[in-house]
């Protein structure tokens, strides 16, 4: 059985656009001879959709889009698509009105699987929106028993963590039912070093339960969160890593499951970042690029001071958006050294970005005049020094408002 991993970058709330990305991945999967396409958690709505889920019209539109998508997909392909499924027992049982679900599509919705473990720590607030599912059974495709889990369902192995955060372990339950292969669809946000932890956890789980695991994660920046992707396939045992998608970019992989050997066959394994700095760079570039584009901007501006803070932000912005889309604004004051101005100009030349210069000495003199009587007899200090940054902030916001560039902060 060939399994296509679609590591997608959705826009939250863009149901038609996200459906189109899934459909494109499905065409690619079918062309590669895949039997099953796997997409991330809430791939139809984007994750996390947050309070969009409180809007009945949005939930209804999601169901309609799912039905439409199912009819569009190649008829020979099974596809797992993440969405929010209404909970029919919500009123009767006093539960939340939705499940965090994954639908198996083939012409129509063939089956649904619901998330069992609902996190409320760190950035997660699943219990605000979703009911917890009692359990999921196995699903057979071409004689292969699939155990389908959603994100947190994988993160409760007492033997790995030394404790349980929830009373049940969905992975252990599916393994005890005889799953040949575990699928985990995720919306797991990035943090430094998290991929090594994920891979250690997945390898431990595959080995403990004697069952290969295909883990598919969302990629992209969504407001305050960055998702790194880094989808993987692992086998039980020492040579566990079978495939790994690239980090911080949309990616597509095909991995094959051998039902006789009960193992995934080796496929493409992209390397991990060579250093923590390289990993952070990838996350920052992706976060800036997606925030700018998903909010409807194309260009950005920032103040260039000649210091390391603005140099780093300018470099990130240039990598994310291209030099033509970055404007650096120099705003020298009476206290600016010639070196700070020349350093900023050299940085702009190195990056190939455009600059404009707006001296702020006249504005500072205006402030000094306006405040002179009130400040008379006091010592020069922080209040006077901070006038520089506040003047610069006003100028930058004026340029942002006038020309439609998004302003990037360079504060340390």
């Amino acid at each position: 059985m060939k399994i296509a991993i679609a590591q997608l970058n959705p826009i939250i709330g863009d149901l038609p656009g996200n459906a189109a990305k899934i459909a494109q991945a499905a065409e690619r999967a079918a062309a590669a001879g895949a039997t099953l396409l796997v997409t991330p958690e809430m791939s139809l709505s984007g994750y996390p959709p947050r309070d969009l889920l409180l809007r009945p019209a949005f939930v209804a539109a999601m169901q309609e889009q799912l039905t439409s998508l199912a009819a569009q997909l190649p008829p020979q392909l099974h596809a797992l698509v993440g969405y929010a499924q209404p909970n029919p027992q919500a009123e009767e049982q006093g539960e939340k009105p939705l499940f965090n679900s994954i639908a198996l599509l083939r012409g129509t919705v063939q089956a649904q699987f619901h998330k069992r473990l609902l996190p409320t720590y760190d950035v997660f607030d699943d219990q605000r929106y979703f009911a917890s599912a009692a359990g999921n059974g196995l699903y057979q495709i071409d004689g292969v028993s699939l155990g389908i889990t959603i994100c947190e369902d994988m993160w409760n192995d007492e033997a790995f963590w030394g404790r349980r955060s929830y009373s049940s372990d969905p992975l252990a339950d599916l393994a005890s039912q005889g799953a040949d292969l575990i699928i985990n669809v995720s919306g797991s946000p990035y943090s430094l070093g998290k991929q090594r932890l994920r891979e250690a956890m997945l390898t431990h789980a595959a080995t403990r339960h004697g069952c290969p695991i295909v883990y598919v994660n969302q990629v992209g920046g969504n407001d305050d969160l960055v998702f790194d992707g880094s989808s993987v396939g692992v086998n039980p045992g020492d040579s566990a890593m079978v495939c790994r998608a690239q980090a911080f970019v949309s990616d597509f992989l095909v991995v094959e499951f051998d039902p006789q050997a009960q193992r995934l066959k080796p496929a493409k394994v992209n390397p991990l970042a060579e250093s923590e700095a390289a990993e952070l760079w990838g996350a920052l570039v992706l976060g800036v690029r997606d925030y700018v584009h998903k909010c409807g901007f194309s260009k950005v501006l920032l103040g260039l001071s000649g210091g390391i803070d603005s140099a780093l932000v300018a470099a990130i912005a240039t990598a994310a958006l291209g030099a033509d889309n970055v404007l650096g604004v120099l705003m020298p004051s009476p206290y600016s050294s010639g070196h700070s101005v020349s350093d900023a100009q050299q940085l702009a030349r190195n990056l190939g970005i455009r600059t404009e210069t707006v001296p702020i000495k006249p504005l500072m003199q205006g402030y000094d005049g306006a405040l002179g009587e009130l400040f008379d007899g006091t010592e020069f200090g922080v209040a006077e020094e901070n006038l520089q940054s506040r003047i610069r902030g006003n100028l930058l916001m004026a340029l942002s408002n006038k020309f439609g560039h998004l302003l990037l902060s360079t504060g340390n």
Side-chain angles (χ1 to χ4, degrees), residues 299-304 314 317-318 322-330 353-357 396 399 403 405-407:
K299 295 180 183 295
V300 298
L301 64 87
L302 67 151
L304 287 185
T318 303
D324 290 345
N325 296 311
V326 181
L327 170 64
V329 184
L330 284 70
I353 65 175
R354 185 168 66 91
T355 63
E356 296 289 349
T357 301
L396 290 167
L399 292 170
F403 299 112
H405 293 21
L406 182 67
L407 173 59

Side-chain angles (χ1 to χ4, degrees), residues 15 22 39-47 49 53 58-67 69 79-88 98-105 109-115 130 150 185:
L15 300 175
I22 295 168
T39 68
E41 179 179 12
M42 302 293 287
S43 54
L44 189 55
S45 65
Y47 184 82
L53 296 171
F58 178 74
V59 174
M62 201 181 324
Q63 314 312 305
E64 293 174 9
Q65 190 72 67
L66 186 75
T67 301
L69 176 63
L80 290 172
V81 175
Y83 74 116
Q85 166 70 32
N87 176 8
L98 300 171
F99 289 114
N100 182 334
S101 304
I102 191 96
L104 192 141
L105 308 182
V109 178
Q110 301 288 316
Q112 299 100 5
F113 310 89
H114 308 310
K115 191 173 185 177
F130 301 117
I150 301 176
V185 301

Side-chain angles (χ1 to χ4, degrees), residues 5 8 20 38 82 86 106 108 130 133 135 137 141 144 149 152 160 162 212 240 286 299 309 369 378 398:
I5 294 171
L8 301 177
V38 186
R106 194 181 185 196
T108 61
F130 301 117
I141 298 180
V144 176
T149 59
E152 187 79 356
F160 182 79
L286 174 62
K299 295 180 183 295
D309 298 345
T378 64

Side-chain angles (χ1 to χ4, degrees), residues 238-307:
D238 295 333
S239 301
M241 189 57 56
V242 174
C243 65
R244 183 191 294 122
Q246 298 178 77
F248 306 117
V249 296
S250 298
D251 205 359
F252 181 89
L253 295 176
V254 176
V255 62
E256 187 170 355
F257 176 71
D258 182 345
Q260 300 300 319
Q262 292 285 289
R263 293 182 72 81
L264 296 165
K265 294 183 178 180
K268 186 175 184 179
V269 180
N270 288 285
L272 294 171
E274 60 188 23
S275 66
E276 288 188 350
E279 185 181 311
L280 286 169
W281 176 263
L284 290 165
V285 168
L286 174 62
V288 169
R289 179 188 299 125
D290 275 4
Y291 189 86
V292 170
H293 289 159
K294 291 181 181 183
C295 290
F297 293 91
S298 59
K299 295 180 183 295
V300 298
L301 64 87
L302 67 151
L304 287 185
S305 67

Side-chain angles (χ1 to χ4, degrees), residues 20-39:
K21 291 179 180 179
I22 295 168
Q24 290 168 5
E27 293 292 340
R28 193 172 175 184
T35 301
L36 175 66
L37 170 70
V38 186
T39 68

